[in-house]
Each structure stands twice: as structure tokens, then as C-alpha cells.
Amino acid sequence: MFEVTIRALGGLNSAYALSGDELWLRKAIELGDALLPAFALTRTGCPPREVTLATMGASVDVEETNPAEAGTLQLEFRTLSVYTGDAKYAKAVDVCMERLVDGMGGGIVTDRFLLRDGRFWGERVSVGAMVDSFYEMLLKSWVGFGKRDEGLRKGYVNAVDGILKKLVKKGGGGVTYVGERIGGGDIGDDMEHLTCFFPGNLAYGALHGLGGGIEGEYLKAARDIMKGCYEMSRVGFHGVAGEVSRFSGKKVEMIDGLDYNLLRPEIVESLFYLDRIDEKFGGIEGIYRKWGENMWKGIKEYAQIEGKEKGIIGSIYNLSKNDKNDLYHKGKLHSFAFSETFKYFYLLFDQSQQHVFPLTEWVYNTEAHPVKIRK
Ligand code: DMJ
């Protein structure tokens, strides 16, 4: 549900928004109608993680989902309601989002969500896998539809408050990162690449007046965490960060077995937001573009699959060995490399005065497909 919604439905919606070609809208409706019954399959109104279109409607035996997958459907289905004038898509997704927000209890959440009674469950608390885009969407759904839904705004503000107090730490070398906690334990030593959407998201919140606005608490925290995320790309092969990195030593370190790079977007995504929003350190002469240039060089140098036709790229493995000869690639390449990673590099390097998709008029879904903000 989540991957198809953010990648395919989000992509079709944006293709329609940008081209005005009805073909994309027809395809978006076809897909939206096929997926819609999934919301009626559980008691909470949140869909299961996976559905079989051919047998949709049959009861499903799934106990749980996670907040990221259940809570990252709103922009796409609501947009479909705007385009069609039919409220059924928005209604379905709003019911689910309300259950999630109710279940939050006013702060950070665990990474498991029970589909029978709408309770959060489990012990792991983080801003990474299985939770990440739930937080992202509290803000973006609030912004995207006229800042009218107080539940979303409060949910976001309370969550950020909890994250900044309970999950942010300085590592051994004094670099700030966002860790995870299990149960009541201490903040762990590691930060996921996925978590690095967070500084950009904080900056986007600041742009829209939250956390004290520009130069407020959110932007200051965003700068510190951004630095930690960029440091992840400076260890091992310069410019190419690992999937998870360790912050307990004097220097940020790669972790054996997690020293691979799937060409994920999160670090450059946040660089893009900070570059546009942070008036002090962003802009043409600012640091974020320079950092982005360093990262782009790394991708050009190391993502290319040797021996293949020039331009063929793939995920990079064995980064911690520090020797180019030990690197290997897998021919797998996620669509987010194109829809997000390369797009964010392009947008970061765009030097035109008139930015494409200004952040006060457009909101990007979690797969970087732009959606026009409804006032
Ligand atoms: C993307 O599909 C989305 O950004 C999602 O929210 C989480 N991660 C991947 C890319 O890393």
C-alpha cells in the first residue's frame, strides 16, 4: 500500500499537476479506486501493509502495521479527492490518520501499530525505519491542505518536542545525531541514513512558522543534525554514506554489514531544504551546496558499475573496507534514486533566481513528487 501509493499514485498525481494531461489523472483514479477498498479491511480504517488486488475485500489476517506505512497515504489520496471532486479518497485516509494521531498520546511513538484497536505497541522509538515519514507527513499534510487541521499540527509539534528532548545526542567527537531507544534504555550510538530526512523536515516546519520560525529552535536543531548527517558521508569513501553509522567514537564510523549505500535521498534531501530555508548558511555561496557537490562527486565516482556501459549505476557495498577494489555493486536500483536523490541534487544545484517549486507553494510527498499547496 505504502510503496505503491507514494511512488505510483504520487507520481501519477504530480504528472497530472505538471502536464495537465488527463491521461495521468485517469490512471491515478484507476489506481486509487483499486487501492481504496484496503482502508475498509481493518477495524482502525488503516490498511494492511500488503494487499492483493485480485482478492481485495476478503478478510485479511494481519495484526499490525507501522506508523510510517499507515501514516504516509494522506497527501496522495487527498489530492485525488481534490482533482476528482469526490471526497471518498480523503475520507478514507483521514479516518486512518485520525486514529494514528489519537494513538500518539501527545508525543513520540513506537514503531508498531495494532490494526485491531489502534494502539501503538513495542519498545523501539526512533526517527528512522517504520516511523520516519509518519512524522514527516504530520507536517506536510498540515501544510499541504491549508494549515487547518489542528490535530496534525499539534501532533507534529509534540512529536518534535519529544524527539529533540529524548533522541538527540552528541557523539564522542561532539557531532550531533538522532539515535533510537529501546524501552526505557539510553539513546543508542547509531543513526540511520533514513533518519536524515529530519533536519530538512525541521527546516520546512520553521519555514511554515513552527518552532519559532526562521532562526528559531527548529532551525538551530536542524543545522546541528544536518552536520551529523553530512559527517556520515565523509567517512569511508568520501561522499557516499553508509546505511547506518556509529557516533560513539571520536570520528563517525561505518558499521560492518551496514556499510552499503542504496542511493537513498535523505542527506541530500535535507541539504536541499536547508539551502533554501537557512538564510545564514544557505544560498549560492553557502555551505549546503558545497557539501552537496562533495556528495555528488562521490556518487559519480563510486556508484558506476565497472565494466558496464558508462552511466549504469547501482547500490554500493563494502564501503568500510576503504579500498576501491573491495567495493561491489548490486544491479538493484530503487526508483527513489531518480524520483528523489537525483531530483534533490538537481534542485540543490539549481541557481536560478526563480526557484522551481517554491517551498511556500509546493509540498513534496515523501517520494519527492511535488503537490500544489491548497490554501
Ligand atoms: C523513500 O521511499 C521515501 O523517502 C520513504 O519515506 C523512506 N525511504 C525511501 C528512500 O530512502
Side-chain angles (χ1 to χ4, degrees):
M1 275 301 291
F2 163 78
E3 299 290 1
V4 167
T5 299
I6 65 171
R7 299 182 192 209
L9 186 56
L12 291 167
N13 280 343
S14 291
Y16 174 60
L18 302 185
S19 69
D21 186 336
E22 298 278 329
L23 166 71
W24 305 118
L25 179 57
R26 282 203 303 279
K27 288 291 164 193
I29 295 170
E30 206 178 302
L31 181 57
D33 284 343
L35 297 174
L36 194 62
F39 290 90
L41 293 178
T42 76
R43 284 199 212 153
T44 50
C46 289
R49 296 180 57 229
E50 292 186 13
V51 291
T52 307
L53 294 184
T55 55
M56 185 83 92
S59 67
V60 281
D61 186 21
V62 277
E63 291 264 306
E64 60 179 81
T65 181
N66 58 65
E69 289 184 69
T72 314
L73 309 164
Q74 235 190 352
L75 274 184
E76 297 77 6
F77 280 90
R78 272 181 152 259
T79 301
L80 203 51
S81 278
V82 171
Y83 290 156
T84 57
D86 188 336
K88 65 181 177 185
Y89 310 103
K91 273 189 189 153
V93 88
D94 286 355
V95 167
C96 170
M97 199 63 172
E98 270 165 35
R99 287 306 292 263
L100 285 160
V101 171
D102 283 352
M104 285 177 81
I108 45 179
V109 295
T110 54
D111 61 359
R112 299 168 79 172
F113 182 73
L114 295 177
L115 286 165
R116 59 168 184 275
D117 57 10
R119 267 186 309 123
F120 281 91
W121 192 58
E123 292 197 308
R124 178 175 163 267
V125 175
S126 93
V127 186
M130 300 200 286
V131 189
D132 47 3
S133 54
F134 171 57
Y135 295 134
E136 180 188 353
M137 283 307 132
L138 288 170
L139 173 65
K140 288 185 173 177
S141 300
W142 177 69
V143 169
F145 296 97
K147 299 184 179 171
R148 283 182 310 188
D149 191 328
E150 260 304 282
L152 294 173
R153 191 193 63 80
K154 273 198 198 138
Y156 182 73
V157 169
N158 290 338
V160 169
D161 199 41
I163 293 165
L164 297 183
K165 284 197 182 108
K166 294 183 187 153
L167 297 179
V168 175
K169 189 176 172 180
K170 272 197 199 310
V175 181
T176 304
Y177 71 102
V178 188
E180 68 171 44
R181 292 174 96 128
I182 310 289
D186 293 340
I187 302 175
D189 294 336
D190 305 341
M191 177 155 75
E192 294 170 67
H193 194 295
L194 285 167
T195 301
C196 288
F197 81 94
F198 188 57
N201 190 247
L202 279 177
Y204 195 58
L207 177 73
H208 286 282
L210 302 182
I214 303 298
E215 286 304 329
E217 181 202 9
Y218 283 14
L219 199 75
K220 289 190 177 124
R223 283 179 188 142
D224 288 345
I225 301 165
M226 184 75 259
K227 178 91 176 63
C229 287
Y230 177 61
E231 284 304 314
M232 287 172 67
S233 79
R234 283 170 28 95
V235 290
F237 286 97
H238 193 95
V240 187
E243 178 71 358
V244 182
S245 299
R246 187 144 295 160
F247 284 73
S248 45
K250 285 253 170 327
K251 273 188 3 215
V252 179
E253 289 160 350
M254 295 251 179
I255 303 171
D256 252 356
L258 294 168
D259 55 342
Y260 57 87
N261 184 295
L262 302 180
L263 301 183
R264 286 192 189 278
E266 290 78 13
I267 301 180
V268 63
E269 169 180 354
S270 281
L271 287 175
F272 155 71
Y273 279 101
L274 279 253
D275 179 64
R276 289 250 184 124
I277 296 168
D278 182 355
E279 288 165 3
K280 200 160 163 194
F281 297 110
I284 291 180
E285 296 302 324
I287 51 172
Y288 305 115
R289 282 183 204 205
K290 293 206 177 76
W291 291 357
E293 276 170 27
N294 292 338
M295 290 179 60
W296 180 239
K297 275 186 207 141
I299 287 187
K300 281 201 348 196
E301 173 92 19
Y302 302 115
Q304 200 135 265
I305 296 179
E306 292 223 355
K308 294 270 166 67
E309 201 182 327
K310 201 169 170 9
I312 303 287
I313 52 172
S315 311
I316 319 161
Y317 287 75
N318 237 358
L319 288 162
S320 61
K321 299 289 175 289
N322 271 324
D323 183 342
K324 202 177 168 186
N325 296 320
D326 284 332
L327 285 186
Y328 66 94
H329 297 90
K330 287 189 183 167
K332 185 170 181 177
L333 186 59
H334 281 278
S335 61
F336 56 63
F338 295 95
S339 72
E340 293 194 76
T341 310
F342 300 148
K343 186 189 289 163
Y344 284 127
F345 273 116
Y346 172 83
L347 291 168
L348 175 65
F349 300 145
D350 172 25
Q351 308 233 331
S352 50
Q353 294 292 316
Q354 255 354 102
H355 281 133
V356 277
F357 310 125
L359 293 174
T360 45
E361 288 169 39
W362 295 83
V363 60
Y364 292 83
N365 88 340
T366 194
E367 204 69 5
H369 298 303
V371 177
K372 189 99 178 115
I373 292 175
R374 309 280 147 190
K375 298 264 168 14

